[in-house]
Amino acid sequence: MSGLQLLWTYKSGSTYDLASPIEVGGIVYAADAGGNVVALNATSGSIVWSRAFGAEMKMTPSLYDGHLVVATFINKAGTMSALYSLDPKTGGTQWTASLPGGMHGSPLAFNGQLYVPLSLGDPGFCNPGGVYMFDEATGSTGLHWLTEGSVSADGGAVWSPLTYDGSRILFGTGNTCVTAPSTSNAILAISPSTQFLWNYQTASPFTDDDVGGGVIESGGIAYVTGKTGYIYALHPSNGSLVWQRNLGVPDLYGSYAMPSIAAGTLITSAGYRYDPFTAMPEGTQYGILDGLDPATGEGRWQINAVSPFYQPPAIAANMAFTTIDGTVDALDPATGKILWTSPIEGDSRSQVIVANDEVVVADGTGRLYAYGLPTSANEVVRRRTAAAFTVARRPIRFVNHIPAFCRFRG
């Protein structure tokens, strides 16, 4: 892994906060917290086009069938967010739509439909949470699913990205403000026609115990973490529990990152080891990254860090790429051993991505970094890595949310 070398960097006018970059067709797309969307040449880092939307962005861009989907998180009144479909070649607007709440977790698209999660259901906002369907080509609205029992100013936000397993849409929900439905603070499945299928509730509806991370499905089992401090393994067909494991962090401060699986190891962030508002010595290790047995949840290895792990590792060539306290790193998934590391300017809250022989990461100072294998690198390693550094038509949907205690801090 010593062959990875820095290819280029790009400095945005704002920070990158939770929204991860994507790379498709030789172009890197990124949205920053200042509302700027940029398309960069993946080889050189030069700007292809850029747009300014003037409002905070937390959702990872998504590219489907010639539509680059981006969204602003919320307006100044805290009531509406804006969804945009852009031409990925020019950045021109194809269509736009507004929804009552915050757009945070990444959408998904199939069969010509775009499914969008709606968040911002906490007290003080209490927007009704749900999943909305749009016509992918025109942006016209279709069906929607709202948290069971939703009323005006109810909550039950869907902070998590959406996952489609070929039969059902899987996601997590947050707390409510008024009613106490079983579909809040829960893991859910709905049909493509937005019909409710099942739910597994992880906490009381009124506590800030969101299931804010996305669901990953592997080997017929669905895995997801919650702010309860647990990781859950469920049968995706009916939501029945296979196992659950306490990851050793306080309730309310558990993970909101999607797990990853590589080399037969389930890799997950545990969340915050301590309440971040508790005065602790400088250098206290808040973050935990665990390697677990997918069949039982038993621990295999653990990495401790000063900064929490906000996003899941990206998997390529049987390696796990993540960021640890101001570095970008490649890990051996089986052992947690660090195989390669490189410094970045600041901590990262977005996911590392891998595509087409490149590793791309965004940091909290507003910088993008692209690393690649030099032509002189070992050819066996190069072929092995190149085969895995690809991106599917649907981009990685690993966007999750910061906990309520610091969501709206300036």
Side-chain angles (χ1 to χ4, degrees):
M1 287 305 298
S2 60
L4 279 171
Q5 294 182 350
L6 183 65
L7 299 178
W8 53 262
T9 63
Y10 168 80
K11 181 67 171 70
S12 172
S14 184
T15 62
Y16 288 104
D17 183 14
L18 298 178
S20 303
I22 63 171
E23 182 181 334
V24 183
I27 303 294
V28 173
Y29 302 94
D32 68 28
N36 305 297
V37 178
V38 65
L40 304 173
N41 183 291
T43 302
S44 65
S46 60
I47 297 175
V48 178
W49 57 259
S50 63
R51 289 278 307 269
F53 292 90
E56 183 179 21
M57 289 182 163
K58 291 181 178 290
M59 189 185 88
T60 293
S62 300
L63 182 57
Y64 303 106
D65 304 321
H67 300 273
L68 179 69
V69 180
V70 299
T72 58
F73 177 53
I74 199 69
N75 60 11
K76 291 182 179 179
T79 56
M80 301 292 291
S81 52
L83 183 71
Y84 299 88
S85 174
L86 307 180
D87 183 332
K89 295 180 180 179
T90 67
T93 300
Q94 296 169 328
W95 54 259
T96 184
S98 295
L99 283 175
M103 277 184 260
H104 189 284
S106 292
L108 62 87
F110 56 91
N111 295 334
Q113 302 297 321
L114 180 73
Y115 298 82
V116 180
L118 194 64
S119 65
L120 208 65
D122 293 289
F125 296 89
C126 296
N127 295 292
V131 176
Y132 285 74
M133 183 193 298
F134 293 84
D135 183 279
E136 187 180 7
T138 66
S140 60
T141 56
L143 302 171
H144 66 270
W145 175 89
L146 295 177
T147 307
E148 176 190 80
S150 281
V151 296
S152 178
D154 187 39
V158 181
W159 294 95
S160 75
L162 305 177
T163 298
Y164 180 58
D165 68 358
S167 301
R168 56 192 74 84
I169 300 169
L170 306 167
F171 55 92
T173 61
N175 52 286
T176 45
C177 298
V178 181
T179 62
S182 62
T183 54
S184 59
N185 280 344
I187 307 158
L188 281 98
I190 61 175
S191 72
S193 61
T194 71
Q195 297 298 305
F196 171 79
L197 298 177
W198 57 257
N199 73 289
Y200 182 89
Q201 194 164 34
T202 62
S204 166
F206 297 123
T207 62
D208 187 20
D209 261 326
D210 309 350
V211 182
V215 180
I216 186 171
E217 190 173 331
S218 178
I221 302 296
Y223 302 93
V224 63
T225 58
K227 287 170 66 178
T228 57
Y230 281 77
I231 183 169
Y232 306 89
L234 305 172
H235 289 291
S237 59
N238 57 22
S240 60
L241 185 69
V242 179
W243 55 260
Q244 63 181 17
R245 175 181 171 86
N246 187 316
L247 296 173
V249 300
D251 184 27
L252 306 182
Y253 301 117
S255 175
Y256 38 87
M258 190 176 191
S260 298
I261 289 187
T265 300
L266 177 64
I267 306 172
T268 185
S269 165
Y272 289 79
R273 186 186 299 275
Y274 309 104
D275 179 345
F277 288 143
T278 300
M280 301 292 289
E282 184 177 352
T284 296
Q285 292 182 318
Y286 285 94
I288 307 170
L289 189 69
D290 283 310
L292 309 175
D293 183 338
T296 65
E298 292 301 311
R300 291 177 174 172
W301 53 261
Q302 186 175 90
I303 294 174
N304 298 293
V306 173
S307 298
F309 293 88
Y310 295 100
Q311 302 284 6
I315 306 302
N318 289 325
M319 292 175 285
F321 291 84
T322 189
T323 56
I324 306 174
D325 293 340
T327 61
V328 56
D329 305 87
L331 310 178
D332 180 342
T335 64
K337 180 182 177 181
I338 296 176
L339 305 175
W340 168 83
T341 187
S342 181
I344 55 179
E345 289 292 321
D347 287 339
S348 175
R349 299 170 69 92
S350 64
Q351 188 191 18
V352 180
I353 65 165
V354 288
N356 303 321
D357 267 359
E358 284 192 354
V359 177
V360 180
V361 62
D363 74 11
T365 72
R367 286 178 171 82
L368 290 172
Y369 307 78
Y371 301 87
L373 289 168
T375 55
S376 59
N378 180 281
E379 186 63 23
V380 174
V381 175
R382 212 180 90 82
R383 285 200 304 267
R384 176 169 172 257
T385 307
F389 281 15
T390 58
V391 63
R393 186 179 70 86
R394 295 192 183 100
I396 300 171
R397 295 187 289 275
F398 297 157
V399 183
N400 306 283
H401 74 284
I402 56 178
F405 52 78
C406 58
R407 275 184 204 139
F408 308 109
R409 295 167 64 87

